[in-house]
Structure formats: C-alpha cells, structure tokens
Amino acid sequence: MSRFVPEPTCDQTMSESPSSVVLFMEIGTEELPARYVVPLAEAFAHGIEKGLDQRSIHHGRVQRFATPRRIAVNVAGVDRQQPDQRIRRDGPALAIAVKDGAPTRAGLGFARSCGVPFEALGQHDGKLRFERTQRGARTVDLLPTIFDEALAATDARVPRRMRWGDGEATFVRPVRWLGALFGGEVVPLAHFGLTAGRTTYGHRFHAPQPIELRDGTDYEEKLRDAKVWADAASRRAETRRQVEAAAARLDGTARIPEALLDEVASLVEWPVAITGGIEPRFMRLPPEVIVATVETNQRYFTLSGADGKLLPAFITIANIVSKDPQQIVAGNERVVRPRLADGLFFWQQDLRRPFADYGAALADVTFQEKLGSVADKVRRTATLAGGLGAAIGADRAAAERAGELCKNDLVTRMVGEFPELQGVMGGYYAHENGEDAAVCAAIRDHYLPTQQNGPLPATPEAAAVALADKLDTLAGYFAVSLRPTASKDPYALRRAALGVIRILVEGGFDLDLRPWLEQALAAQPAGDRGQATLAALLGFLHERQRAWSVGRAVRGGTIGAEMFEAVAGLKLTRPLDIERRLLALATFMPGPAAASLAGADKRARNILHQAGHADTTIDRYHIGHEAGEALLAALDAAEVELAPLRSAADYPAMLTRLAVLKAPVDRFFEEVRVMDDDPAVRGARLGVLARLDALCREVADLSLLPG
C-alpha cells in the first residue's frame, strides 16, 4: 500500500525565531463541574501542543489556565509558518511495476496517481518512490483544525456532554464565548455557533464587563485585575494559604485533604476564606461525624487544636469579596446546623439500644444471593477471626467478639445517613456499650486498608478481623464463580486481596494462607469449595502480591519481575516469607556473585534436564576429578552452614553463603566433563549438579535470574 509521509526539510530547535508569535485560545463556559475543570484544561492544552508538534510547528512554553468558567491556553514562540514538507510516497515493488524494462499498468497507475510521468519516479529499497517538496502552510490556516482536534481530546475526559440552543455542537457545559489570537490578530475560528474574538470576561459579579485582550500575554494580568485567578495551580496555592492563615488566627491547624483542596479551588475564581462556628452541643458527636458533615458534605475545612481535638469552627472558601461577610458566615452556619442536628439525633437514637442487639437485624440484610445474609457472613467471620487471632498473637476472644459485632453498625441510623462511617461508628457504639478497647479498635479498623496505600489495622485483633472478613469475601465470591475479569471487578476483590497481602507483609504476620483459605471455603454455604477453587484463590492472591511487589523500591534496589518469578518458582503460600526472600534478592542481585551463580544454576539445570537426572545422591568414589570433589566438599560445607540460617529464615545470610560457591562451581565447569562415557562417573557428577541445583533453590530459583 502506498502512503504519503511528510517530513520537515529544516532543522527544528527550541529557540524562538524572529517570525514566532504568541498563540492564545480560550473557551468560556457556564460553570463547569469542579472535577472537570483542571482535567479539561490539561486535555485542551495538550491537544493544542500535540497539534502543533504533529505539524512540525516550532513553539515555546505552553501555559494552561482553568477556572469554573473557562479553559484557556497560551503558547509562546509559535512560528508563523509551517516548515516546508518533504512528501515521500512509496509505490509498488519494482518486480511488479517494471517488466522487460517497460513500466507495467501498476507502475503507470502509481505515476498517474502522483501526477507525474513514470520517468519522474525514483527507486528505494526495491520499490518505486515519489518525492517532492511541499511548501509549509501558514500556521494561522492550520489552527482551526488543531482547535477541533484539541476539542476532541477534551471529549474523552467527560462521559456526558450537553447540547444547547439549535446547534449540534456539544460540550460539558454551554459555551458562551471563544477567544483566539495569533500574534495579536484574531484567528478566523468558528465553533459552538460562536465566532472567536479578542474578548474575555472577568468575575461574574465583581467585573462582568467585557475585557479586550492585546495578544494573550496580558490575559492573566487583566483577569487578576478583574477578580479572576486564572492559573489553577497558583489559585490552589492561594486557597491553601488563606485556609492556613484563617486557622492560625483561631490558634488551630486546618485539616486540608488534597482532594478537597483540589475541588474547592476548582469551585471558585477568586478565593476568599470565611470562618464559621459550630455550636458547642454538636461537639459531643464523634469527630468523624463532624468531619463527614462539614468536609465531605459541605466542602468546608475543619480545624484541630494543639491537643489534636476538633475545634468548634470551620473554614469555607467563598467566590466573592462580600461587603458584609457576616451574612456569608451566617448562611454557611445555617447550612451546617441542620446536618449536624441530624447527626446528633442519630447518635442519641442509636445509643438507646445495646449495640449487640443490632446484630439480629443483619439476618434481613442480604450479603449475596447465594452466600446468605450479612448475619451469615458475620458468623463465618467471627469463627475465622478467632482462629486467625490466635495464629498471629492476638487475643482470640477479643478478635472473635469483634468479628461478631463488626457489621452491627450497618443497621444503625448514623451509618444509614453516613455510609462512609461504617466500622468507625461501630467502634464508638461498642465503646459506649462498655466493650473491651481491643474489641472496639478491631471493629473500627476491620475494613482497612480501603485504598492501595491506605492505613492498615492498628492492632493484632483488628488485623485478625480484617483478614477474616476479606478471606471470607474472597472465598465466597470465588466459590460461586463471581470472580474479577480483566476489565471488571464489581465486588472489589482485587482490593480485598491486596489488603490481605499488605496486612500480612507490613504487619509482620508470617501466616500460611493455604489452611485459612481452606477453612474459609469450607464455611461457605454454596458453590465449588474444592481444590480447584482453592488453587484459583491462591493464584489470585499471588498475582496481587506480584502486582504490588514488582517495581517497588526497597533497600538495596528495586524488586524486578525476574526476582518475583524466581521466588514464585518455589510455589510458596506465605506472603511475608515471599517478601523476605524478595528483599534478600534485591540486595544480592547487584553483587558480582549473583549473575555467576545464576548462570551456573541455569547450566546445571539444562544438563540435568537433558540427562533426565534429578537424584541428589552421590557415589563419591566415582566423581573421578579433583574439581568435582572440591565442589562436593564445598556443597557439604554449605549444607552445614545453611542449616541454622534456614531455621532463622535469614535469607540475606543464606545468599551470602551461597555466593562462596562461585569459585568451586566455576572451576567445576571449566575442568570437569560431566557427561562422561562411564555411567557411574556420569551419574556421580550429575548428582553433584543436582545437589548444587537444590541449594540454588533454597531462597529462590536462581536459574530464573539473569546470569
């Protein structure tokens, strides 16, 4: 198939030429959803930059702007002219295009399609080739197409778009104005039923009048004068500064989650921090309820004092400089008050019943159609938690009790209103009912970790309940064949599996997963609970550990895929043990002995495989070579010295000891003919290699490492 390939004929550099100017484009809209403000601006700016680059148009720095009412881009040093393009088109093979020295119909057809006589064509790599130089287009003529391409890039960021008026164009919100300037001149650009100009608009209330731009370099300054903080990053920084300053005036420290700061900074064009108060009666609530109300629902910032306790105040970010800020304060307090009043009512009502009594209602809540109710799951979890607690050094009775109560808060009024507080509220209610502190902590933490790098359960009892809950969930869904696919994981089983791995590894619990998964499977009320499902579960958890481990930086280096494969080759089912072996390999691999020992084991494995030999017993009297006897003596010594290290699972020391084998192994392969004609000699020497191979699998399968 023939193709046109344009190539610039002049060298492109990053320095600005005398003919370079500023490109400015802006899309003015009605208020954008906060979560789309920055992503849309990023996609738009990237689309403009990509369009210039694809056309070999030199440019300088690309600066993006984003507020709730606009996305814009300013590109410095854009060349006015696209460089001349070298057009190259490859045609049919010469064997097809030319026959007996004359052009064939295929050759003539290619020449005709290029608009030249056959004689004007060249040859390259056994094919006809057409080449010519095409003068580069004016950049301004290419900008409408580049703009359309950039708009298409923004569409990918927004799942649903709007139409308005009589037009067919779509965007996340109606577009109200377009700005497009190139070198100070208006770009002939039309879209959304609008024609681009040099007009922009300031703050909706403080400066609603039109603002004329010179060339785009004055954009940020003119908008700042019009009470619009156009640069998203600096507006975010200013929002943080104001929140921290307002908190300091109250002798407090603001809690500023990054996601909340991102959202609040994308809700305003001119941030103004406003402080409000919380009535003392609401401070009796658990702090998480106040945070959920003020922060999660209202997008305000909470404060804590020097003792870490919440202060009866909040900070909100207004989008206006008010002449009467107290009215804004009163309005925000009026919004918060009923939400906190609801929370206080739920708290008081929930405490009127013993927390243990809520468990009866779980029988009416379905966990999964085939796996029974939440009450059924709780019974399985409690039994498993007790055993796990004993295995990891926790208080068995406390772990089992926490397992019995861990889901009771799901049927309380508070969690019904604030589902994100499940577990947390259970811990508080258990405490109010006089449960042991270990039980309360375990209930509170048993959902952890809820995110890939989120916090883990803080106590062994909590770890036991968290493990039991997750293992029961995994076993149940695998038993009834509701397993994750490559694209879907509706029951968050990958997150549950990673939680199990992290709790065991980071918590330092050296637990073999096989018997606990067997127990969890056996307790399920339905599905395939046999060895095939167990194998699938172990494989799933193993893959989660692989995904978590490979590429992770550790002391000594980075865990590579080949390291994980070397450990995986041993078919281990103790995540912490796998982790310890990986850490030992990460330190061992950069050393000089690693590659040599891995290479020797590869060679030994290949010889053993070809010979069909696996027996490690050795007839010492038939080795028949000093180098073989020296290697056997070194292997004997290594066996003795590795025994206590093996018992202590001191894998770094084991690898260090194995590294001593490098010299006798190298000498053996240099001097000894393994496949001797005498079967007795050959068998003895193969036995030596089998012993070597066995030792090289003490920590990991070294034959799978580079070497």
Side-chain angles (χ1 to χ4, degrees):
M1 181 179 291
S2 61
R3 55 193 174 90
F4 278 106
V5 181
E7 297 177 339
T9 60
C10 58
D11 293 334
Q12 298 296 299
T13 67
M14 292 305 293
S15 60
E16 295 185 17
S17 67
S19 61
S20 64
V21 295
V22 174
L23 168 64
F24 168 77
M25 289 184 169
E26 180 187 40
I27 302 174
T29 71
E30 293 186 6
E31 267 74 9
L32 297 166
R35 64 184 180 279
Y36 293 140
V37 171
V38 172
L40 281 173
E42 289 174 343
F44 184 60
H46 177 71
I48 298 295
E49 183 176 16
K50 181 180 178 182
L52 294 172
D53 291 341
Q54 286 180 336
R55 293 161 178 81
S56 304
I57 300 172
H58 168 265
H59 63 84
R61 180 189 178 213
V62 178
Q63 185 178 12
R64 61 173 170 79
F65 301 96
T67 82
R69 295 177 64 220
R70 75 201 72 227
I71 59 174
V73 62
N74 219 331
V75 188
V78 181
D79 281 352
R80 290 183 179 274
Q81 185 83 21
Q82 182 188 36
D84 292 346
Q85 306 291 297
R86 186 70 174 173
I87 303 299
R88 184 183 73 227
R89 186 180 180 187
D90 288 333
L94 293 176
I96 298 174
V98 180
K99 188 173 184 180
D100 298 329
T104 64
R105 291 180 61 185
L108 292 172
F110 177 67
R112 188 165 51 252
S113 70
C114 296
V116 297
F118 184 83
E119 293 73 18
L121 299 175
Q123 301 177 12
H124 179 76
D125 199 20
K127 296 180 181 179
L128 290 180
R129 169 167 287 186
F130 168 69
E131 292 186 282
R132 69 181 174 87
T133 299
Q134 175 178 292
R135 180 167 178 76
R138 295 191 312 157
T139 299
V140 69
D141 295 332
L142 299 173
L143 289 177
T145 302
I146 292 174
F147 179 80
D148 288 344
E149 293 171 354
L151 277 182
T154 65
D155 287 347
R157 300 295 182 98
V158 183
R160 295 184 180 180
R161 296 177 291 281
M162 297 178 61
R163 285 192 178 91
W164 60 96
D166 298 327
E168 291 298 314
T170 63
F171 202 64
V172 63
R173 288 293 185 271
V175 177
R176 295 310 184 199
W177 75 88
L178 286 178
L181 300 172
F182 185 60
E185 300 296 324
V186 174
V187 178
L189 182 68
H191 213 93
F192 304 112
L194 301 169
T195 301
R198 62 175 67 251
T199 302
T200 188
Y201 294 87
H203 194 282
R204 183 186 296 277
F205 303 111
H206 290 305
Q209 61 275 11
I211 300 171
E212 296 297 306
L213 299 174
R214 183 179 68 253
D215 60 1
T217 58
D218 52 344
Y219 177 72
E220 188 171 9
E221 180 182 355
K222 284 192 173 183
L223 282 186
R224 188 73 63 86
D225 292 340
K227 291 292 189 291
V228 173
W229 205 295
D231 179 68
S234 63
R235 186 174 68 250
R236 184 183 190 276
E238 171 64 11
T239 302
R240 178 188 288 275
R241 186 197 67 78
Q242 290 192 30
V243 170
E244 290 175 343
R249 288 193 291 272
L250 296 174
D251 295 325
T253 301
R255 172 183 150 85
I256 309 179
E258 296 301 318
L260 178 61
L261 181 62
D262 288 339
E263 183 174 5
V264 169
S266 293
L267 287 169
V268 299
E269 291 195 311
W270 190 256
V272 179
I274 302 290
T275 303
I278 299 173
E279 293 178 25
R281 64 190 176 108
F282 297 132
M283 299 309 293
R284 290 179 288 165
L285 283 165
E288 290 86 353
V289 177
I290 298 174
V291 169
T293 300
V294 173
E295 183 180 294
T296 306
N297 294 331
Q298 300 304 133
R299 307 301 188 266
Y300 302 162
F301 298 92
T302 55
L303 294 81
S304 58
D307 57 0
K309 294 182 180 180
L310 282 183
L311 295 178
F314 62 83
I315 299 169
T316 183
I317 299 297
N319 189 34
I320 191 171
V321 180
S322 175
K323 295 179 181 178
D324 187 4
Q326 193 54 42
Q327 290 296 323
I328 297 180
V329 172
N332 285 307
E333 291 177 344
R334 191 163 52 247
V335 171
V336 168
R337 190 177 301 115
R339 295 286 294 173
L340 289 174
D342 287 345
L344 184 59
F345 173 76
F346 297 144
W347 170 251
Q348 293 169 339
Q349 290 297 307
D350 288 341
L351 287 176
R352 294 178 68 179
R353 292 176 58 192
F355 184 53
D357 288 358
Y358 284 97
L362 296 176
D364 298 324
V365 181
T366 300
F367 169 61
Q368 200 281 329
E369 182 182 4
K370 297 179 181 179
L371 300 176
S373 67
V374 175
D376 296 326
K377 177 176 175 56
V378 164
R379 283 191 287 271
R380 297 193 299 266
T381 298
T383 300
L384 197 58
L388 283 164
I392 65 174
D395 183 320
R396 179 174 190 141
E400 191 165 347
R401 177 63 173 169
E404 293 170 354
L405 300 175
C406 66
K407 306 295 184 183
N408 283 15
D409 64 350
L410 294 179
V411 289
T412 62
R413 295 192 179 193
M414 185 71 82
V415 173
E417 182 69 16
F418 299 99
E420 68 272 23
L421 296 182
Q422 60 184 356
V424 172
M425 293 311 303
Y428 280 111
Y429 290 138
H431 173 74
E432 292 293 324
N433 277 256
E435 294 288 346
D436 185 79
V439 173
C440 300
I443 295 171
R444 180 194 65 215
D445 288 356
H446 85 278
Y447 287 106
L448 300 180
T450 57
Q451 298 176 349
Q452 182 170 349
N453 297 312
L456 297 173
T459 66
E461 292 76 20
V465 181
L467 287 169
D469 186 34
K470 292 170 177 58
L471 291 177
D472 177 78
T473 297
L474 289 164
Y477 281 109
F478 266 68
V480 297
S481 299
L482 293 175
R483 306 175 187 183
T485 64
S487 59
K488 294 182 179 179
D489 184 14
Y491 306 108
L493 300 186
R494 289 190 179 91
R495 184 175 68 190
L498 179 59
V500 170
I501 299 301
R502 287 192 57 214
I503 290 170
L504 293 178
V505 172
E506 297 180 37
F509 303 122
D510 194 8
L511 207 67
D512 187 346
L513 283 173
R514 181 182 293 276
W516 299 105
L517 284 172
E518 288 177 341
Q519 182 176 333
L521 273 173
Q524 299 306 314
D528 183 353
R529 291 159 284 179
Q531 289 300 307
T533 302
L534 175 63
L537 272 169
L538 287 169
F540 183 68
L541 284 154
H542 187 76
E543 286 304 312
R544 288 300 89 207
Q545 185 161 7
R546 181 200 305 272
W548 179 62
S549 296
V550 172
R552 180 160 48 90
V554 296
R555 180 182 296 179
T558 300
I559 296 176
E562 72 286 348
M563 297 181 198
F564 196 92
E565 292 304 322
V567 175
L570 303 184
K571 308 297 183 185
L572 305 171
T573 55
R574 292 158 51 204
L576 180 59
D577 186 56
I578 292 172
E579 174 75 3
R580 288 169 174 167
R581 292 169 188 263
L582 290 171
L583 296 178
L585 281 180
T587 302
F588 177 68
M589 285 297 294
S596 176
L597 202 56
D601 191 29
K602 288 178 195 289
R603 187 172 178 183
R605 184 76 61 85
N606 288 335
I607 294 172
L608 291 167
H609 177 72
Q610 292 171 7
H613 188 99
D615 191 359
T616 57
T617 59
I618 303 167
D619 183 352
R620 297 171 180 266
Y621 298 103
H622 284 90
I623 293 177
H625 197 290
E626 183 186 352
E629 294 169 354
L631 177 55
L632 180 57
L635 294 174
D636 288 339
E639 285 275 13
V640 173
E641 294 179 31
L642 285 172
L645 301 177
R646 186 185 301 117
S647 299
D650 190 346
Y651 299 125
M654 290 176 70
L655 288 172
T656 300
R657 180 59 187 84
L658 288 174
V660 178
L661 295 175
K662 178 181 182 303
V665 168
D666 289 346
R667 183 185 172 203
F668 178 87
F669 280 121
E670 289 171 3
E671 300 180 11
V672 177
R673 179 171 175 251
V674 177
M675 303 305 289
D676 193 88
D677 295 334
D678 185 334
V681 173
R682 183 170 64 249
R685 293 174 180 177
L686 286 171
V688 172
L689 290 184
R691 284 276 302 280
L692 170 66
D693 183 46
L695 283 178
C696 285
R697 280 179 285 171
E698 286 280 345
V699 177
D701 188 344
L702 299 186
S703 71
L704 299 177
L705 296 172

Coordinates of all heavy atoms in Angstrom, one line a residue, residues 125 145 148-149 157 188 202 221 227 229 234 324 436 439 477 496 548 686 691 694:
D125 N 14.8 0.9 -2.0 CA 14.6 -0.4 -1.3 C 13.7 -1.3 -2.1 O 12.8 -2.0 -1.5 CB 13.9 -0.1 0.1 CG 14.1 -1.3 1.1 OD1 15.0 -2.1 0.8 OD2 13.3 -1.4 2.0
T145 N -8.2 23.5 12.5 CA -8.1 22.1 12.6 C -7.5 21.6 13.9 O -8.0 20.7 14.5 CB -7.3 21.5 11.4 OG1 -7.9 21.9 10.2 CG2 -7.3 20.0 11.5
D148 N -10.1 22.0 16.6 CA -11.0 20.9 16.6 C -10.4 19.6 17.2 O -11.1 18.9 17.9 CB -11.5 20.6 15.1 CG -12.4 21.7 14.6 OD1 -12.9 22.5 15.4 OD2 -12.6 21.7 13.3
E149 N -9.2 19.3 16.9 CA -8.5 18.1 17.4 C -8.4 18.2 18.9 O -8.6 17.3 19.7 CB -7.2 17.9 16.8 CG -7.2 17.6 15.3 CD -5.9 17.6 14.6 OE1 -4.9 18.0 15.3 OE2 -5.8 17.2 13.4
R157 N -12.4 13.2 28.3 CA -12.4 13.4 29.7 C -13.8 13.5 30.3 O -13.9 13.4 31.6 CB -11.6 14.7 30.0 CG -10.1 14.7 29.6 CD -9.3 13.7 30.3 NE -7.9 13.7 29.9 CZ -7.0 14.4 30.5 NH1 -7.3 15.0 31.7 NH2 -5.7 14.4 30.1
P188 N -9.5 33.3 12.5 CA -10.8 33.0 11.9 C -11.3 31.7 12.3 O -11.2 30.7 11.6 CB -10.5 33.1 10.4 CG -9.1 32.7 10.3 CD -8.4 33.3 11.5
G202 N -14.4 38.9 33.1 CA -13.9 38.7 34.4 C -14.9 38.1 35.3 O -15.7 37.3 34.9
E221 N -2.9 38.8 33.7 CA -2.8 40.1 34.5 C -4.2 40.8 34.4 O -4.7 41.3 35.5 CB -1.8 41.0 33.9 CG -1.6 42.3 34.6 CD -0.6 43.2 34.0 OE1 0.1 42.8 33.1 OE2 -0.5 44.4 34.4
K227 N -10.7 40.2 39.1 CA -11.0 39.3 40.2 C -11.2 37.9 39.7 O -12.1 37.2 40.1 CB -12.3 39.8 40.9 CG -12.1 41.0 41.8 CD -11.2 40.8 43.0 CE -11.2 42.0 43.9 NZ -10.5 43.1 43.4
W229 N -8.7 34.5 39.3 CA -7.4 33.9 39.4 C -7.3 32.8 38.4 O -7.7 31.6 38.7 CB -7.2 33.4 40.9 CG -5.8 33.2 41.4 CD1 -4.8 32.4 40.9 CD2 -5.2 34.0 42.4 NE1 -3.7 32.6 41.6 CE2 -3.9 33.6 42.6 CE3 -5.7 34.9 43.3 CZ2 -3.0 34.1 43.5 CZ3 -4.9 35.5 44.3 CH2 -3.5 35.0 44.4
S234 N -1.7 28.2 41.0 CA -1.5 29.3 41.9 C -2.8 29.6 42.7 O -2.7 30.0 43.8 CB -1.0 30.5 41.2 OG -1.9 31.0 40.2
D324 N -20.5 42.5 53.3 CA -21.0 42.1 54.7 C -20.7 40.6 54.8 O -21.6 39.7 54.7 CB -22.5 42.3 54.7 CG -23.1 42.1 56.1 OD1 -22.3 41.8 57.0 OD2 -24.3 42.2 56.3
D436 N -14.6 -4.2 75.4 CA -13.1 -4.0 75.6 C -12.5 -3.1 74.6 O -13.0 -3.1 73.4 CB -12.5 -5.4 75.6 CG -11.0 -5.4 75.9 OD1 -10.7 -5.3 77.1 OD2 -10.2 -5.5 74.9
V439 N -11.6 -4.8 71.3 CA -12.8 -5.1 70.5 C -13.2 -3.9 69.7 O -13.5 -3.9 68.5 CB -13.9 -5.7 71.4 CG1 -15.2 -5.8 70.6 CG2 -13.5 -7.0 72.0
Y477 N -17.1 -15.4 47.0 CA -17.3 -15.0 45.6 C -16.6 -15.9 44.6 O -17.1 -16.2 43.5 CB -16.8 -13.5 45.4 CG -17.8 -12.5 45.9 CD1 -17.6 -11.8 47.0 CD2 -19.0 -12.3 45.2 CE1 -18.5 -10.9 47.5 CE2 -20.0 -11.4 45.7 CZ -19.7 -10.7 46.8 OH -20.7 -9.8 47.3
A496 N -9.6 -6.4 48.1 CA -9.6 -7.2 49.3 C -8.3 -8.1 49.3 O -7.7 -8.3 50.4 CB -10.8 -8.1 49.3
W548 N 1.8 -5.8 43.4 CA 2.2 -4.9 44.5 C 3.7 -4.8 44.6 O 4.3 -3.8 44.9 CB 1.6 -5.4 45.8 CG 1.9 -4.5 47.0 CD1 1.6 -3.2 47.2 CD2 2.6 -4.9 48.2 NE1 2.1 -2.8 48.4 CE2 2.7 -3.8 49.0 CE3 3.2 -6.1 48.6 CZ2 3.3 -3.9 50.3 CZ3 3.8 -6.2 49.8 CH2 3.9 -5.1 50.6
L686 N 26.6 -35.9 37.8 CA 25.2 -35.3 37.7 C 24.6 -35.2 39.1 O 23.9 -34.2 39.4 CB 24.3 -36.3 36.9 CG 24.6 -36.2 35.4 CD1 23.8 -37.3 34.7 CD2 24.2 -34.9 34.8
R691 N 22.8 -31.6 43.5 CA 23.0 -31.0 44.8 C 23.1 -29.5 44.7 O 22.5 -28.7 45.5 CB 24.2 -31.6 45.5 CG 24.0 -33.0 46.1 CD 23.4 -33.0 47.5 NE 24.2 -32.2 48.4 CZ 25.3 -32.6 49.0 NH1 25.7 -33.9 48.8 NH2 25.9 -31.8 49.9
A694 N 19.7 -27.9 43.9 CA 18.9 -27.9 45.1 C 19.2 -26.7 46.0 O 18.4 -26.0 46.6 CB 19.0 -29.2 45.9

